[in-house]
Amino acid sequence: MSVTTQTMNASQQGPATLAPRRRDTGDKRFARLTGGFALIVAATLFAILVALVLESWPVWRTFGPRFLWDSSWDAVAGRFGALPFIYGTLVSSAIALVLATPVSFAIAVFLSELSPRWLRQPLATTIELLAGIPSIVYGMWGLLVFAPWFARFEPVLSATLGQIPGIGTLFRGPPLGIGLLTAGVVLAVMILPFISSIMRDVFLLTPAALKESAYALGATRWEVVRRVVLPYTRSAVIGGIFLGLGRALGETMAVTFIIGNTNEIPPSLLLPGASIASVIANEFTEAVTELHRASLLALGLVLFLITFVVLALAKLLLLRLDGLAKGKPA
Amino acid sequence: MNGLDGPDNPLPRRRRRLDRVMMTSMTLLTVLGVFWVVWILLTTLERGFEAFSPDLFLKDTPPPGVAGGGLRNAFVGSLELLAVALAIGTPVGLLAGTWLGEFARRHPMAGAVVRFLNDILLSAPSIVIGLFAYTLLVAPLKHFSALAGGVALALIMIPVVVRTTDEMLRLVPDALREAAVALGIPYWRMVVHISWKAASRGILTGILLALARLSGETAPLLFTALNSPYFSTALDKPIASLPVVIFQFAMSPYPDWQKLAWAGAFVAMVFILALGLLARWLQARGTSST
């Protein structure tokens, strides 16, 4: 869009106003100003990466890549390994995803296909508003309300799932109420409104003509969801789930309250553990030695890289639907 | 809906039964999901309301084990941190978003890259942003400060504002731009007087939603603004903030502190829900009147 700019104050310049402009009207400066800020925003991500790499350098010099799979974390002895926290982060997020995905899918289907019209908008608005509740409220609720309740339910879990050979040990343990499983459940509740509102938005993008054609051919509602809506929106649905995963991986407050905060890999999901975010939140201000602080920053770097990959994948998957919505073939 | 259960339905019973089973389970799962979320909402409202008193806004945080007290210093601290974030985040986000919405069409590749990076920044873990603000402002200056906390919050706010500004500017019809430019206004004045004005309500909505998100953020404040038991407004000193005080008090073994934490969570939630509703109302008014 090139703009031929003519000077505004014609009276001062007499009949020459239609000649090529002689003075800068500010367009270039404005474009440069906004462009500069856009550059700053884009550079922030790299600045974060560089800052974390530089600040965690003592760790990589001392331990090398072994830091990533060493499972000992002892601030007094000066030994640091990231494995317990990577394990805790991945496991609690995986639990959250396994629990939240089917429920979010159901809510999205309910809102886009099943719900009576009068309920649709209020329910959708409520769920979107709930997605804005701060994670600290989830954490606090998890510790003070849910954990005591869950502790009574855990023996049931040990007696049923705990008896399955092989994976049974994961579900056996003292009924503490806090631990990896509790963290996973609370994370699931937290990302639930988030994933379901994305899925609902995506489902609504399915062209009505496609769905109506399927109904006209005698398809049932489930068949329309399963064979029309889902195939059309598949990549965006997965993208939405990945966005939820990105949130769960990086979540601090909801997890720190209830994961138990021990620096080793627990053999059971019912036992306390720690995630990358929770150990940073707990230990960073108390880290006395240079190496301890650098190790926590190195954990931050690991978390940043993991979430970057997950979020980039999410973004690419969601982009494909943007293309569809604009009418380009997949 | 489409007469599935009628007696003359020609569909095989197997398909009808599958449909009914799936749709019933979807409905039940929805009820289950909504149940959990409503459970959280109601407990917070109930316990927070019980602990609510005017002292909350008049007195500072009490020492451990002492009954009474309020959260005045935490509220003031949070408002100050939000103000700093707003003062930095709004102009930076607005200008960067303006480049994306108005100028990026001349550089489609650069625009796509900036949008991509901004979206990643938007969902980056807030604790990592906190670590970054620490390395930027706390480690070199050797002390925790309200300013560092405000900058951390601004870093979280900027991508939200960038994104809404970009999206809202792209909704402004080109005919409006062309009409203005045809009258001889320089392009930049057209952006300021026409585009921004047309998109103002949407951008304001975005800023409100960003504020709602910021007011619950805890992780980026833990090692930037830290915390303080005293009333303070100094930018170069640690400062109390509502989320961090809630964290400290809820994790403590003292019932009085836990009570205050519920009251604080109640206020935070009401504030955030009110901001969310206000933003939604602005948005709805915007779409119906234009």
Side-chain angles (χ1 to χ4, degrees), chain A residues 74-95:
Chain A
D74 187 341
V76 181
R79 278 177 58 85
F80 298 100
L83 195 62
F85 313 110
I86 297 179
Y87 174 82
T89 303
L90 295 181
V91 168
S92 57
S93 301
I95 296 170

Side-chain angles (χ1 to χ4, degrees), chain B residues 1-256:
Chain B
M1 192 172 170
N2 47 4
L4 279 177
D5 297 325
D8 308 326
N9 195 313
L11 289 178
R13 280 186 60 174
R14 199 175 47 81
R15 286 174 58 198
R16 265 189 289 164
R17 197 175 306 142
L18 179 69
D19 182 63
R20 212 168 308 143
V21 168
M22 290 316 292
M23 290 302 136
T24 313
S25 42
M26 294 288 146
T27 311
L28 289 177
L29 278 177
T30 303
V31 172
L32 179 78
V34 171
F35 160 77
W36 283 84
V37 183
V38 169
W39 185 10
I40 292 183
L41 200 67
L42 289 184
T43 23
T44 312
L45 291 180
E46 186 202 331
R47 296 210 183 184
F49 194 72
E50 275 171 18
F52 193 85
S53 79
D55 274 357
L56 215 54
F57 300 100
L58 300 174
K59 293 191 175 155
D60 289 342
T61 45
V66 175
L71 298 168
R72 183 179 66 134
N73 51 340
F75 288 129
V76 171
S78 267
L79 288 179
E80 182 173 321
L81 290 170
L82 285 182
V84 173
L86 204 61
I88 302 172
T90 313
V92 175
L94 184 68
L95 288 171
T98 302
W99 185 80
L100 281 177
E102 293 286 340
F103 297 99
R105 60 179 93 193
R106 297 180 205 165
H107 315 278
M109 270 306 287
V113 170
V114 173
R115 276 191 195 112
F116 180 79
L117 293 175
N118 186 64
D119 278 2
I120 300 274
L121 200 59
L122 184 71
S123 332
S126 56
I127 192 151
V128 173
I129 306 284
L131 286 177
F132 178 59
Y134 172 88
T135 63
L136 209 63
L137 283 168
V138 179
L141 301 176
K142 300 212 179 347
H143 60 86
F144 299 99
S145 65
L147 182 69
V151 169
L153 291 185
L155 283 171
I156 294 173
M157 177 177 190
I158 288 169
V160 185
V161 180
V162 169
R163 193 177 173 162
T164 24
T165 307
D166 175 26
E167 281 176 355
M168 291 306 142
L169 285 178
R170 281 194 287 166
L171 286 181
V172 175
D174 272 344
L176 218 56
R177 292 196 175 90
E178 283 156 11
V181 168
L183 290 173
I185 307 181
Y187 196 79
W188 75 272
R189 297 197 62 158
M190 185 282 293
V191 172
V192 172
H193 293 292
I194 309 292
S195 296
W196 279 2
K197 202 163 181 190
S200 60
R201 189 164 292 168
I203 295 172
L204 188 64
T205 308
I207 292 173
L208 286 180
L209 289 177
L211 267 187
R213 182 178 159 192
L214 289 191
S215 39
E217 281 290 353
T218 319
L221 298 177
L222 289 173
F223 26 81
T224 50
L226 204 69
N227 195 355
S228 159
Y230 309 111
F231 183 90
S232 157
T233 51
L235 272 178
D236 60 341
K237 299 231 165 57
I239 198 169
S241 63
L242 187 56
V244 176
V245 168
I246 294 176
F247 179 46
Q248 182 198 0
F249 282 14
M251 285 285 252
S252 78
Y254 313 109
D256 290 320

Side-chain angles (χ1 to χ4, degrees), chain A residues 127-143:
Chain A
I127 285 174
E128 269 174 45
L129 284 177
L130 289 173
I133 293 183
S135 56
I136 188 157
V137 173
Y138 286 94
M140 194 174 152
W141 172 84
L143 178 71

Side-chain angles (χ1 to χ4, degrees), chain A residues 105 199 201-207 225 228-239 317-318 321 324:
Chain A
F105 177 73
M199 277 198 196
D201 288 349
V202 163
F203 283 175
L204 291 179
L205 285 180
T206 315
V225 170
V228 178
V229 177
L230 209 50
Y232 188 83
T233 55
R234 186 182 293 126
S235 70
V237 165
I238 300 172
L317 287 164
L318 284 166
L321 192 88
L324 278 180

